[in-house]
Amino acid sequence: MAYFRQASILRFITQALLLIVLPAFLVFFMSWYTVVNSSGGGEAINIAGSLRKQTYLIVATQLSPPAPVPGSRALLHEVVAEFERRLYHPVLIKNLPDDGADPLRVAYNAMEMAWRSEMQGVFSPSTAPPSGSVLPKAERFVGLIDAYVQAIEARHEARLLWLARLQWIALGGMALVLLLTLLWFSRRVTQPLQQMAQAAQRIKNGDLSVRASTEGAGEIAQLGLALNN
């Protein structure tokens, strides 16, 4: 408390400004960090979402009759290869967390395992099951894709929510420091100066018994003592 009563005006204001500016720099750094770590998030959502369309394209290619003109339609192995290219796309792999228990990693592993253990056999020309069982299996697989896409979106939204909370905390901290600084300035600078002005006016009028306030900040207290002397 003694520090707040006797602190130098310039030093106190400098420190208060630093306390106001530092949270702004912190928020800027964390925003930059979040943006860097979220890069590719939108592309990952688009690629993961395209797996649903690609799955139904594989089903349609497998169940469709032979093309009337050879080469006029993509072959089954071509659309399957395109699906796997998207499934193992570097953007998806890059966005996977290292923690095996993370919901995003769990959702991807479930989808990828279902593809390797079940769907590859369903869409293989040599081991294809009866056509009536293809679509139900594809729909169940698409459910795993949906869960994976939702996990990506949830992770992205969690990062944005965390950043928004940090911004509000920083804004609240800066507002609190500013308010306390204004209160301190009013009590330790403005009010003592007003009292000194009144004392100086009384001295001017011949009242030498008046005493100026010495309760202000460092320089203001020294000025009050000098005036009293």
Side-chain angles (χ1 to χ4, degrees):
M1 295 300 294
Y3 170 79
F4 291 100
R5 289 194 300 268
Q6 302 173 2
S8 166
I9 298 175
L10 181 60
R11 183 184 305 169
F12 187 89
I13 293 179
T14 301
Q15 293 173 348
L17 289 176
L18 286 176
L19 289 176
I20 293 175
V21 171
L22 285 177
F25 276 104
L26 175 63
V27 170
F28 172 80
F29 174 77
M30 297 309 298
S31 299
W32 171 82
Y33 180 80
T34 302
V35 169
V36 170
N37 282 271
S38 299
S39 61
E43 186 179 1
I45 293 175
N46 291 334
I47 295 174
S50 71
L51 294 175
R52 292 175 289 206
K53 181 187 72 174
Q54 196 67 20
T55 300
Y56 287 121
L57 179 60
I58 295 174
V59 174
T61 302
Q62 185 181 50
L63 299 181
S64 62
V69 179
S72 61
R73 269 202 316 252
L75 300 177
L76 180 60
H77 73 274
E78 293 176 343
V79 290
V80 169
E82 175 62 20
F83 177 90
E84 292 187 334
R85 185 188 71 81
R86 301 186 187 192
L87 178 63
Y88 301 109
H89 197 282
V91 172
L92 299 187
I93 303 301
K94 177 184 175 183
N95 278 272
L96 289 177
D98 296 330
D99 183 9
D102 189 281
L104 180 58
R105 169 69 74 170
V106 172
Y108 180 85
N109 289 346
M111 177 185 65
E112 194 269 340
M113 184 176 298
W115 170 256
R116 286 189 295 104
S117 63
E118 181 178 1
M119 301 310 295
Q120 275 185 329
V122 171
F123 297 133
S124 174
S126 59
T127 60
S131 59
S133 64
V134 172
L135 188 58
K137 291 183 178 180
E139 290 176 343
R140 288 194 295 271
F141 180 66
V142 167
L144 295 177
I145 298 176
D146 290 337
Y148 172 58
V149 174
Q150 291 172 3
I152 298 178
E153 294 174 344
R155 185 179 183 86
H156 187 64
E157 292 174 357
R159 286 177 174 173
L160 294 179
L161 180 61
W162 174 81
L163 181 59
R165 288 175 177 172
L166 180 64
Q167 291 174 339
W168 277 110
I169 292 174
L171 180 61
M174 289 187 290
L176 179 62
V177 172
L178 179 60
L179 177 61
L180 294 177
T181 301
L182 292 176
L183 290 174
W184 179 88
F185 201 84
S186 175
R187 293 188 58 184
R188 297 299 171 184
V189 179
T190 304
Q191 293 178 10
L193 282 177
Q194 291 174 345
Q195 295 174 4
M196 287 182 193
Q198 295 172 0
Q201 184 63 37
R202 292 175 60 183
I203 293 173
K204 179 181 177 181
N205 295 333
D207 182 7
L208 301 182
S209 64
V210 67
R211 291 294 179 266
S213 172
T214 58
E215 293 298 321
E219 294 86 345
I220 303 300
Q222 294 175 9
L223 183 59
L225 289 173
L227 184 60
N228 290 338
N229 291 333

